Amino acid sequence: MGLSLIVAIGAQNAFVLRQGLRNEHVFAVCLACGLSDAVLITLGVTSFRQISALLPWLDPAMRYGGAAFLIWYGAKSLYSAFRLSGALAVQEAGLSNFRATLATCLALTWLNPHVYLDTVVLLGTISTRFPGYEVSFAAGAATGSFLFFFSLGYGATWLRPIFSKPASWRILETLITFTMWMIAFNLLREM
């Protein structure tokens, strides 16, 4: 579940991909993203259950809200797939400042409202369906996050020729659309 939410290319993932393509501070960027997700996932899994016990209406409201967001996000990706013609452009500039790179990474993570929806709200909501397995759920989602970020950051070199073409981004955006819609469907179906 964690991987299916994190795979959507947003500002944070595009930044990790860009840093990987440029081969700049890849380890630090991937570690910062993975640790940030682990903290937020733990917060969602450990506290969302108590909050939903106090406010029983919150779980269904979050499911509907999360499903609505995922449907919107999928539609946005579908729009991008058919309307935009961009390709990943990698600037061939000199090595960037480590502090500036890390600050940008943390800003794209902690100032992004979608990261809270994905990690705290959606994963927190989903984890309530597995009472007694919260630690396993959080560990699995956090592990998925670390695997994704490090794979994206270090695997970017192999992707450089592929994502220089707009058609590749269209295919990726289309896959993101169907992934988001499937998650939304599953959230609504299990109510």
Side-chain angles (χ1 to χ4, degrees):
M1 184 55 65
L3 276 175
S4 65
L5 291 172
I6 200 169
V7 122
I9 293 293
Q12 181 188 40
N13 294 350
F15 182 77
V16 173
L17 183 61
R18 181 179 149 267
Q19 290 303 117
L21 288 168
R22 295 176 73 179
N23 197 27
E24 291 181 351
H25 314 297
V26 179
F27 182 81
V29 167
C30 294
L31 184 63
C33 291
L35 286 173
S36 295
D37 267 13
V39 167
L40 291 167
I41 288 166
T42 302
L43 177 67
V45 170
T46 59
S47 64
F48 200 81
R49 185 164 181 68
Q50 289 85 3
I51 293 168
S52 64
L54 291 172
L55 307 168
W57 56 267
L58 189 60
D59 183 47
M62 287 296 156
R63 285 180 197 242
Y64 284 123
F69 169 76
L70 292 169
I71 291 167
W72 170 81
Y73 197 88
K76 182 179 157 204
S77 291
L78 189 61
Y79 175 81
S80 294
F82 290 107
R83 293 289 187 184
L84 302 179
S85 61
L88 182 65
V90 181
Q91 299 169 350
E92 299 296 338
L95 196 63
S96 61
N97 178 298
F98 175 75
R99 286 185 182 172
T101 299
L102 193 56
T104 301
C105 175
L106 292 173
L108 287 171
T109 301
W110 290 90
L111 299 177
N112 180 357
H114 298 141
V115 79
Y116 294 100
L117 181 64
D118 290 348
T119 56
V120 177
V121 176
L122 288 176
L123 289 177
T125 299
I126 293 166
S127 73
T128 62
R129 294 183 291 168
F130 305 103
Y133 295 99
E134 293 86 358
V135 173
S136 298
F137 187 91
T143 300
S145 181
F146 276 101
L147 287 172
F148 174 77
F149 284 120
F150 278 94
S151 297
L152 181 63
Y154 285 104
T157 308
W158 296 329
L159 300 175
R160 179 180 263 174
I162 295 169
F163 283 100
S164 64
K165 300 172 184 140
S168 299
W169 283 104
R170 284 189 195 102
I171 291 168
L172 180 64
E173 293 287 2
T174 302
L175 290 173
I176 290 168
T177 297
F178 290 116
T179 301
M180 296 298 107
W181 287 352
M182 286 298 293
I183 296 167
F185 174 75
N186 286 331
L187 277 175
L188 294 172
R189 183 176 56 118
E190 295 174 6
M191 295 213 50

